[in-house]
Amino acid sequence: METQTTGVIEGAGPVTRPGERPTVRLRDEDGMAQEPPRYAPEWLRLREPADADARAIDLLDPLRIRLANLPGRTGGLVVHDLGCGTGSMGRWLAPRLDGPQHWILHDRDPYLLHFAAVGSPRVAADGSRVTVETRRGDVARLTPDALVGASLVTASALLDVLTREEIDTLAAACAGAGCPALLTLSVAGRVELSAENPMDEEIAAAFNDHQRRGGLLGPDSVTAACEAFADHGASVKVHPSAWRLGPDQAALTAQWLRGWVGAAVEERPELAARAETYLAARLAACAAGELHVTVHHSDLLALARPTGAA
């Protein structure tokens, strides 16, 4: 997970508003009911172009083949987007898939769900209709029953904020429903900055440790997900999906730098004084158009055995 990056499904409690439907639950809600929304729509909008450029298009052909050959498929695709945030995954993927599509957008934050619904695409790659519904809250468990009728599960920047148990739950649910999963932009734990600085590795290591707090997997999530999906009989493909940030992405780079260094200092307070100087120098280089950053991510496509298939 990038600091301040995605609307992860977390415990919003069992309350839903009229017209809203409960969503799948990945994490118990005890103690989280009053937790404020974690991700600002401004940050999600800022990162969306970089996300779109980074996602691995090489995974789309095997996904299209699987979707075209799902047994018993009638009508259009039903896509569950977990932790949808402002809906960037749907805006990227729906226009790249043929046929009618119905997207079910899951998030704990009704504010983000509003942005996702309003900004959702209306037309598929072949001109077919795309429709959307939103589901808020964390009432139902993530089981095959929760995904009945699903053609595809998607998520963006989600795996790295899950525990090993939660990833296994996700893999089991997809396997039980017989639907593929496209899970993009999980942090890989590697960052490269131009004009190397001796503190780069220290900050990166502290940030990675911060990502693993509380049993979360952080940069270990893709390996864990590969193992979990394979254990449930899925074939798995992984492809790099790095952000490559230069002068044209200075605003995103500056915000990312603040979050990256801030998380590192939160994990290792003894870095604070040196990190302040480091951050100031990096931000100055960014403002001058002299900084290039590569933030490594991985995209994962898990192809579960379709239910009813041999």
Side-chain angles (χ1 to χ4, degrees):
M1 163 191 131
E2 308 298 346
T3 301
Q4 300 178 318
T5 55
T6 182
V8 59
I9 300 175
E10 291 188 324
V15 177
T16 56
R17 296 180 179 179
E20 293 175 338
R21 301 176 62 184
T23 188
V24 295
R25 185 176 71 186
L26 289 177
R27 184 170 297 136
D28 290 337
E29 66 271 11
D30 293 346
M32 295 185 182
Q34 303 304 316
E35 184 181 352
R38 181 176 294 186
Y39 306 108
E42 293 78 14
W43 166 254
L44 299 178
R45 283 196 294 265
L46 186 61
R47 68 171 287 173
E48 185 167 342
D51 288 348
D53 289 342
R55 288 192 183 97
I57 59 173
D58 289 354
L59 296 179
L60 293 185
D61 278 346
L63 174 61
R64 292 185 185 107
I65 292 169
R66 173 55 59 88
L67 293 175
N69 290 284
L70 286 175
R73 174 181 165 185
T74 58
L77 300 173
V78 177
V79 184
H80 288 255
D81 189 16
L82 306 181
C84 68
T86 57
S88 66
M89 186 64 167
R91 285 188 289 275
W92 181 81
L93 184 58
R96 289 172 166 82
L97 299 178
D98 288 333
Q101 301 168 42
H102 182 65
W103 281 69
I104 302 172
L105 307 178
H106 300 266
D107 205 284
R108 64 180 291 253
D109 186 340
Y111 189 49
L112 295 181
L113 284 174
H114 168 76
F115 282 105
V118 169
S120 64
R122 303 302 185 208
V123 180
D126 60 355
S128 298
R129 187 182 180 197
V130 176
T131 57
V132 171
E133 70 176 271
T134 61
R135 296 188 183 180
R136 173 181 175 248
D138 303 299
V139 178
R141 290 187 178 277
L142 183 59
T143 65
D145 289 343
L147 298 177
V148 166
S151 309
L152 172 65
V153 168
T154 66
S156 195
L158 176 67
L159 288 180
D160 41 52
V161 292
L162 300 181
T163 65
R164 190 172 298 273
E165 181 180 3
E166 289 161 355
I167 285 179
D168 188 69
T169 298
L170 175 61
C174 291
C179 66
L182 180 63
L183 308 169
T184 68
L185 297 167
S186 299
V187 293
R190 293 179 291 114
V191 175
E192 298 162 11
L193 297 93
S194 58
E196 292 184 10
N197 184 294
M199 278 204 75
D200 291 346
E201 291 188 9
E202 280 187 273
I203 297 293
F207 177 84
N208 288 342
D209 288 343
H210 187 270
Q211 297 295 280
R212 297 182 177 105
R213 68 199 184 284
L216 306 183
L217 287 171
D220 307 318
S221 62
V222 170
T223 297
C226 288
E227 294 170 352
F229 277 98
D231 286 346
H232 287 283
S235 62
V236 182
K237 301 176 186 294
V238 177
H239 199 280
S241 54
W243 278 358
R244 301 188 186 281
L245 308 179
D248 291 341
Q249 297 83 26
L252 173 60
T253 304
Q255 285 294 92
W256 171 82
L257 270 169
R258 293 185 181 98
W260 187 59
V261 174
V265 171
E266 184 177 322
E267 181 68 23
R268 297 185 190 172
E270 67 273 15
L271 294 176
R274 289 189 297 130
E276 183 177 359
T277 302
Y278 171 88
L279 178 60
R282 286 301 194 188
L283 289 174
C286 179
E290 299 169 353
L291 183 64
H292 291 77
V293 180
T294 300
V295 183
H296 291 275
H297 304 94
S298 297
D299 287 4
L300 181 151
L301 174 64
L303 300 174
R305 294 192 185 100
T307 54

